[in-house]
Amino acid sequence: MTIPTGEGGPIRVLIVDDDAMVRAGLSMILGGTGDIEIVAEAGDGAEVPPLVTRHRPDVVLMDIRMPGIDGLTATETLRRTAAPPEVVVLTTFHADAQVLRALRAGAAGFLLKDIAPGDLVQAIRRVAAGEPILSPVVTRQLIAHVSDGGAGERTERARKLLGRLSEREREVATAVGQGKSNAEIGRELYMSVPTVKAHVSRILTKLHLNNRVQVALLVYDAGS
């Protein structure tokens, strides 16, 4: 099996956490894999934009709670830039309003800080390969347990956005919201995998979304 890497080389990772010991631990775990390179570390969200510009990481491992500029603000800032890196949020809580906001802003998923080293490495590899690391079950639990205002407005907005899609694209979007892989969607909807990928790409473009996690959140918001 071929291990995914960033741009044909090692997966470039920026670690952002205000705790130097946490940064050292993450760096040791990820740096020992052979296919992941730690290009920089930061202790505050304010350091993230210039470090991303300088080092061009494929993945940013972002602590959600930091003094100064927190991980949520840094994520929102990054995702508004051209060709941003993937962001994986680090947190100590399963159900966290800031995590949900980071996902809505375009983070590819979140990881708990007590994650097993092997699971952390696999998560980084998956994100670098363009795969979300957030299961639909966890997404539903997160939305259900977080007190998140403006649900009515989001439902209306989500339904309007999904209304821009063709019937086939809506079917694909719903399947993405159910956490199905491209192969599973292809089997269910009688499409080839390249056709599914093309539909997902068009959905992201039409709805101005960053990734499949945001498609899933939109589907949940719409009540589909």
Side-chain angles (χ1 to χ4, degrees):
M1 174 177 139
T2 302
I3 294 174
T5 57
E7 301 296 329
I11 301 166
R12 298 169 61 80
V13 175
L14 166 62
I15 297 174
V16 186
D17 196 294
D18 65 312
D19 188 326
M21 291 293 289
V22 171
R23 294 198 305 271
L26 292 170
S27 183
M28 183 174 64
I29 291 167
L30 296 173
T33 62
D35 64 308
I36 298 174
E37 177 187 359
I38 308 303
V39 295
E41 298 180 11
D44 186 289
E47 302 172 54
V48 172
L51 286 174
V52 167
T53 299
R54 187 178 312 138
H55 297 285
R56 311 307 301 174
D58 302 302
V59 179
V60 177
L61 202 51
M62 182 89 74
D63 184 16
I64 201 73
R65 284 182 170 80
M66 292 179 288
I69 303 298
D70 63 22
L72 170 61
T73 303
T75 297
E76 291 173 336
T77 300
L78 271 187
R79 296 307 303 182
R80 287 194 295 265
T81 62
E86 296 293 349
V87 176
V88 178
V89 171
L90 280 173
T91 182
T92 53
F93 300 97
H94 282 279
D96 188 302
Q98 286 187 305
V99 170
L100 185 54
R101 283 182 59 191
L103 296 175
R104 292 192 189 283
F110 75 91
L111 299 172
L112 296 178
K113 286 194 175 184
D114 61 358
I115 187 173
D119 292 339
L120 172 63
V121 170
Q122 287 305 316
I124 296 298
R125 288 172 177 161
R126 286 184 60 189
V127 168
E131 301 173 23
I133 58 170
L134 195 64
S135 75
V137 172
V138 172
T139 305
R140 282 192 293 269
Q141 288 174 343
L142 186 63
I143 293 172
H145 286 90
V146 170
S147 175
D148 195 25
E153 290 179 6
R154 269 197 310 278
T155 297
E156 183 179 351
R157 175 181 173 276
R159 289 175 178 172
K160 282 183 180 178
L161 284 173
L162 291 177
R164 297 178 186 174
L165 304 178
S166 68
E167 182 178 353
R168 201 58 161 163
E169 287 165 349
R170 284 196 298 273
E171 289 176 336
V172 172
T174 299
V176 168
Q178 294 167 346
K180 291 177 178 163
S181 67
N182 288 339
E184 290 169 331
I185 295 171
R187 286 194 296 272
E188 181 178 294
L189 299 180
Y190 303 102
M191 298 179 187
S192 69
V193 169
T195 301
V196 174
K197 288 180 178 178
H199 277 302
V200 171
S201 249
R202 281 197 295 272
I203 290 166
L204 294 174
T205 300
K206 276 188 178 182
L207 303 186
H208 305 291
L209 300 177
N210 294 305
N211 55 41
R212 294 167 78 107
V213 172
Q214 285 187 315
V215 174
L217 287 170
L218 193 70
V219 169
Y220 298 146
D221 283 343
S224 300

